[in-house]
Amino acid sequence: MSATDTQAGANSLRSGPDGRGRFGIFGGRFVAETLMPLLLELDAAYTAAQADPEFRRELDYYLKDYVGRPSPLWFARRMTDALGGAKIYMKREELNHTGSHKLNNVMGQILLARRMGRTRIVAETGAGQHGVATATVCALFGMKCAIYMGATDVERQKPNVFRMRLLGAEVVPVTAGAGTLKDAMNEAMRDWVTNVHDTYFLVGTVAGPHPYPQMVRDFQSIIGVETKEQIMAAEGRLPDAIVAAIGGGSNAMGIFHPFLDDPDVRLIGVEAAGCGLDSGRTAASIERGKPGVLHGNRTYLLQDGDGQITEAHSISAGLDYPGVGPEHSWLNDIGRADYVGATDQEALDAFQLCTRTEGIIPALESAHAIAYAAKIAPDMAKDKILVVNISGRGDKDIFTVAEHLGVKL
Amino acid sequence: MSRIARRFATLRQQGRGALIPYVEACDPDYDTALAILRGMPAAGADLIEVGVPFSDPSADGPTIQKAALRGLKGGSTMKRVLEMIAAFRADDDETPIILMGYANPIEAYGPERFCVDAKKAGVDGLIVVDLPPEEADLLGAPAAQAGLDIIRLVAPTTPDERLPVVFSGASGFVYYVSITGVTGTRTASTDELAQALPRLRRATDLPIAIGFGIRTPELAANAVRVADAAVVASALLNTLEGTLDAAGQATSRTVPAVLEQLRALADAVHDVRK
């Protein structure tokens, strides 16, 4: 989508996926035949939209005047001083309308759905951020909207459920399985396969069958494109490292992608280690999973030896998914990005650190990225530059945090 | 000639359509599922589809998902599924068995080893729901080498120009997913079927089975009036579920209830003269 993408040459790490939707061995289109023609149609429609300057112009208009882009790149002086090492910059995606990076992608896809003549939107959501973003644009464009959400998540994300309903969306609690994001994804796919004639499946992360991982990444790449310009303006050079949290991986892919061909910029994806990487209660798909096939793509998955998908665990509902976007799996295997973990407790600590030193209440998802940045910054020289993606704001998480801090609201 | 081809050739000679019932492995336990499987040919099954339980069967409806989860709870693994087929084959060398499942358990087992072991156990064909032609290379070569048929799904959304792509590499028979939706929900109308079948016949000489939404003997009979076979899954699983006790365990009613329903479906299918 972005100018930088079209410049990606044959040797670029930004030229993927290939014609089959593969990033190395990852990605692909592992779906039932009923959906296959729809994916081919979507791929063609997306390719046509990319080539149409009018589509770009329309998207830019909404990104600027409705989403509120560009988002600032904030020099976190007090946190930098507190940690005593590298300079920390924060990419302020939490300042977008609806409070997270999710709207970047949702805006792109809803404009595409409109071009394709679809009138109804289905989406899956974990923490509810993608659901809220989707319900928001459906209200904006007057489209019908059904959001599938695991029953467990409906319970722990009540404010977002109410927001979605206020926005006119039908929120469907999913009781199958453990009632979390993976089950919501299954149900959303079932709705799509049942209502293919008028329905558009608006995927919220860089996972699922091709072309979703590519499309969502392209729409989210605006984060990295802006970051590059902003850090050049502020520091006159590229950062030494970029840190972002990974659930499905859309905010990370968005900020990483424009930097893939800049080998001096270290890219660090922080997975939710949950109770610890080796606790058996984790959502760290890359670090503790194996490649496999789920929800339309081949990628790292948390699974048992017989290929059954296991439940993920994280304090953050938005990271509580047993898979990860296929491009991340590939970046891991080729060694271009490093994937690490932050535990529930580390995220809680970082949540408070960020709130008290910067006056920014981050989403628990983003707190995982902050936690790892806080871990490495003290050992880096003071002239090094670290960018942390603050993918969302934490207002939705205050109840969870209060509970963990033993505070009764 | 494979068991599947042989069975369809015999049926054609006799002017009959086929009933293909479905049983989920280890649902709710190994012995019950094996008893149902063993009872199916005598109750009128012409071919049998055996479901390989998967934790996330996203193309299937709630009935099959529940059966899959019961199967996993009942101790299903790929090894156990193949043991069940081998046990069935010890007494029945004629009835074709088709395994239906998702790609990940096969990938975890190893596609080459899976095809070899499945053939050895007595499996005849494979339906892998989330392997469209675009991803068929995962199993294409090993299945061909082992002599397993790859049964392709074709849907109402599949356009005419795509049919040759879908049928390339298909063998055994073709599975027509008669509705856009998940298993065990809506039923295709007679008109919809009457329009769909000629479209498929023009593109393939393989026998055509119709599945999704066939719940009653009448619907099964309607299906074989236009197609070569009717697949019944959710209706049998619902019956099975209805016989389980509060703890989800099989009761003395479980096996007979499923087989009685199967017999009624098979009788209706076999009364149709083609």
Side-chain angles (χ1 to χ4, degrees):
Chain A
M1 260 342 284
S2 62
T4 51
D5 290 335
T6 53
Q7 288 159 11
N11 293 322
S12 169
L13 296 178
R14 289 179 294 135
S15 57
D18 67 14
R20 298 179 66 188
R22 300 282 183 104
F23 302 91
I25 65 162
F26 299 104
R29 282 177 292 218
F30 295 87
V31 296
E33 172 59 24
T34 315
L35 291 179
M36 202 55 219
L38 282 97
L39 291 175
L40 295 172
E41 183 197 1
L42 178 61
D43 199 9
Y46 177 57
T47 304
Q50 276 181 302
D52 180 356
E54 179 54 27
F55 181 76
R56 186 72 238 179
R57 198 199 57 74
E58 193 183 15
L59 179 57
D60 285 345
Y61 163 74
Y62 285 106
L63 288 178
K64 176 171 171 288
D65 288 352
Y66 190 77
V67 180
R69 300 209 70 88
S71 70
L73 183 70
W74 168 249
F75 173 45
R77 187 182 304 276
R78 293 225 322 127
M79 190 187 284
T80 299
D81 290 347
L83 295 169
K87 292 176 83 168
I88 295 175
Y89 281 84
M90 295 178 167
K91 181 60 174 165
R92 302 285 306 276
E93 288 299 303
E94 97 283 5
L95 292 177
N96 293 328
H97 181 40
T98 77
S100 80
H101 71 293
K102 292 292 185 186
L103 203 55
N104 302 328
N105 161 53
V106 162
M107 191 55 85
Q109 287 197 58
I110 195 105
L111 296 178
L112 184 62
R114 279 160 56 85
R115 277 174 74 104
M116 294 174 74
R118 298 295 196 271
T119 55
R120 179 174 175 270
I121 302 293
V122 292
E124 81 297 344
T125 196
Q129 295 301 90
H130 175 57
V132 167
T134 302
T136 298
V137 295
C138 287
L140 176 65
F141 291 108
M143 289 168 89
K144 279 184 281 184
C145 179
I147 304 291
Y148 288 88
M149 190 168 183
T152 310
D153 291 337
V154 168
E155 197 48 44
R156 62 178 170 176
Q157 302 288 335
K158 280 180 189 154
N160 272 344
V161 172
F162 184 56
R163 266 183 207 112
M164 287 184 269
R165 289 185 171 143
L166 281 174
L167 289 160
E170 180 195 358
V171 179
V172 188
V174 177
T175 51
T180 58
L181 182 54
K182 120 183 138 79
D183 309 294
M185 186 86 168
N186 289 335
E187 281 304 314
M189 287 179 83
R190 287 177 184 139
D191 181 313
W192 190 32
V193 84
T194 307
N195 300 294
V196 287
H197 56 287
D198 67 348
T199 295
Y200 181 94
F201 181 24
L202 208 161
V203 173
T205 192
V206 286
H210 177 67
Y212 285 107
Q214 174 193 359
M215 193 164 63
V216 177
R217 173 204 72 198
D218 289 348
F219 289 135
Q220 291 293 3
S221 290
I222 185 82
I223 305 173
V225 169
E226 287 177 7
T227 300
K228 211 169 197 176
E229 288 170 11
Q230 290 165 326
I231 199 72
M232 288 306 290
E235 295 279 351
R237 70 174 184 92
L238 296 180
D240 296 287
I242 297 175
V243 186
I246 308 258
S250 70
N251 87 79
M253 210 55 244
I255 197 167
F256 287 178
H257 194 255
F259 292 92
L260 290 183
D261 291 329
D262 300 304
D264 294 337
V265 181
R266 189 178 166 211
L267 305 174
I268 305 168
V270 186
E271 296 192 295
C275 301
L277 284 175
D278 297 313
S279 65
R281 286 173 55 72
T282 179
S285 320
I286 291 180
E287 289 154 286
R288 286 298 175 271
K290 281 184 310 197
V293 175
L294 179 72
H295 294 152
N297 59 175
R298 177 179 286 112
T299 192
Y300 278 96
L301 299 171
L302 296 175
Q303 54 181 315
D304 68 15
D306 206 48
Q308 306 296 339
I309 309 305
T310 54
E311 293 295 339
H313 166 80
S314 168
I315 188 173
S316 154
L319 303 181
D320 204 346
Y321 180 69
V324 62
E327 195 167 6
H328 285 298
S329 295
W330 174 69
L331 290 173
N332 176 71
D333 281 17
I334 64 169
R336 176 62 190 94
D338 297 327
Y339 294 87
V340 299
T343 64
D344 290 351
Q345 187 57 50
E346 287 168 333
L348 277 168
D349 294 345
F351 179 94
Q352 296 170 85
L353 173 72
C354 184
T355 303
R356 291 189 185 166
T357 58
E358 294 299 328
I360 295 170
I361 302 179
L364 274 174
E365 291 78 15
S366 320
H368 287 74
I370 300 166
Y372 195 76
K375 193 180 271 183
I376 61 171
D379 295 330
M380 294 169 75
K382 285 181 192 269
D383 62 347
K384 297 289 182 189
I385 302 168
L386 204 54
V387 175
V388 185
N389 200 14
I390 309 298
S391 53
R393 68 172 180 233
D395 307 54
K396 68 181 174 64
D397 294 316
I398 56 170
F399 304 100
T400 306
V401 173
E403 192 187 316
H404 282 271
L405 298 180
V407 176
K408 195 155 172 63
L409 294 183
Chain B
M1 199 187 267
S2 74
R3 277 194 199 96
I4 294 174
R6 204 154 60 224
R7 178 53 53 101
F8 275 108
T10 307
L11 289 165
R12 196 172 301 122
Q13 271 173 3
Q14 297 170 348
R16 293 199 299 117
L19 181 71
I20 310 181
Y22 179 100
V23 57
E24 188 83 24
C26 296
D27 173 21
D29 60 76
Y30 179 89
D31 291 337
T32 304
L34 179 58
I36 292 172
L37 181 61
R38 280 183 165 143
M40 279 180 157
D46 298 296
L47 299 83
I48 302 171
E49 223 184 286
V50 176
V52 180
F54 179 49
S55 53
D56 293 81
S58 50
D60 285 298
T63 305
I64 290 194
Q65 178 165 22
K66 276 192 275 179
L69 296 181
R70 286 195 303 267
L72 290 173
K73 218 175 145 191
S76 175
T77 60
M78 190 63 89
K79 189 164 163 278
R80 205 75 176 123
V81 174
L82 297 182
E83 278 169 19
M84 187 176 94
I85 307 300
F88 170 82
R89 272 282 167 257
D91 318 317
D92 184 322
D93 197 36
E94 294 299 319
T95 311
I97 296 279
I98 297 107
L99 286 190
M100 197 221 68
Y102 287 75
N104 202 51
I106 295 174
E107 180 148 304
Y109 192 90
E112 288 80 17
R113 184 163 80 94
F114 167 73
C115 289
V116 170
D117 291 357
K119 182 68 183 182
K120 207 186 297 169
V123 172
D124 302 290
L126 305 174
I127 300 175
V128 186
V129 181
D130 53 353
L131 279 191
E134 282 75 2
E135 302 293 352
D137 51 356
L138 181 76
L139 272 181
Q145 202 163 3
L148 292 168
D149 283 322
I150 294 282
I151 287 101
R152 281 281 163 75
L153 300 170
V154 55
T157 48
T158 310
D160 287 351
E161 61 273 19
R162 187 174 157 75
L163 291 175
V165 178
V166 174
F167 295 144
S168 69
S171 57
F173 63 95
V174 164
Y175 189 129
Y176 181 57
V177 175
S178 60
I179 53 158
T180 57
V182 295
T183 44
T185 52
R186 199 171 77 77
T187 305
S189 70
T190 314
D191 279 356
E192 284 173 305
L193 293 181
Q195 279 175 15
L197 268 290
R199 182 169 93 89
L200 304 182
R201 298 276 191 213
R202 280 194 294 274
T204 182
D205 294 328
L206 290 170
I208 298 172
I210 296 180
F212 283 45
I214 299 178
R215 285 188 299 267
T216 64
E218 294 70 30
L219 291 169
N222 280 345
V224 297
R225 282 194 183 94
V226 290
D228 303 292
V231 181
V232 181
S234 294
L236 294 168
L237 296 173
N238 281 331
T239 298
L240 181 146
E241 190 183 351
T243 65
L244 302 179
D245 67 18
Q249 300 299 310
T251 62
S252 59
R253 282 292 302 145
T254 302
V255 176
V258 172
L259 295 179
E260 277 160 31
Q261 186 186 18
L262 170 56
R263 197 180 309 276
L265 289 157
D267 287 348
V269 162
H270 297 151
D271 279 347
V272 176
R273 306 315 299 185
K274 294 173 72 76

